[in-house]
Amino acid sequence: MAVRGLRGAVQLREDSEDAVVGGTKRLLKDMLDANGVGHDDLVSVLFTATPDLRSAFPAAAAREAGMADTPLMCAQELDVPGALPRVVRILAHAETELPKRDIHHVYLDGAAVLRPDQAARPGGSE
């Protein structure tokens, strides 16, 4: 079994606790479902948020979803002029039998513009 990186991002409509937690939960669930990965398969998860998101920690969504025994970390994205606003990104490290080419990265809502090549794949966009 290998450790693989699962990537995803979601653009939120607003900076509110409900939006951050709800959007992060939805993204994380879609990422795990798209790759057949369960909580027990996770090694660690890194969450980032753009500087305009300050209402909640994205990792709080994972804790609410039952990931109390998975190492989680939040960080702030670089404040690059012209960057897509209100985006939560996730890099999850998981044990899986899937080869790299079969990993599905998930980009939801407005974040689909970040990786149009990935958003068109199964599980890539709603």
Side-chain angles (χ1 to χ4, degrees), residues 30-110:
D30 285 2
M31 289 172 60
L32 298 181
D33 289 350
N35 292 288
V37 171
H39 290 182
D40 288 340
D41 301 320
L42 291 173
V43 175
S44 62
V45 184
L46 173 64
F47 301 86
T48 65
T50 51
D52 52 0
L53 294 176
R54 295 183 286 265
S55 296
F57 291 106
R63 295 274 181 245
E64 285 185 19
M67 295 183 192
D69 60 350
T70 302
L72 308 174
M73 180 174 276
C74 290
Q76 185 178 50
E77 283 288 330
L78 296 173
D79 193 9
V80 176
L84 195 64
R86 300 176 318 280
V87 175
V88 172
R89 291 174 174 84
I90 298 176
L91 173 59
H93 303 95
E95 294 180 330
T96 179
E97 296 291 341
L98 291 174
K100 282 184 183 181
R101 70 181 174 277
D102 292 339
I103 296 293
H104 296 288
H105 304 289
V106 179
Y107 294 83
L108 302 177
D109 305 331

Side-chain angles (χ1 to χ4, degrees), residues 105 107 112 115-125:
H105 304 289
Y107 294 83
R115 289 294 305 267
D117 60 316
Q118 298 291 325
R121 295 176 69 184
S125 183

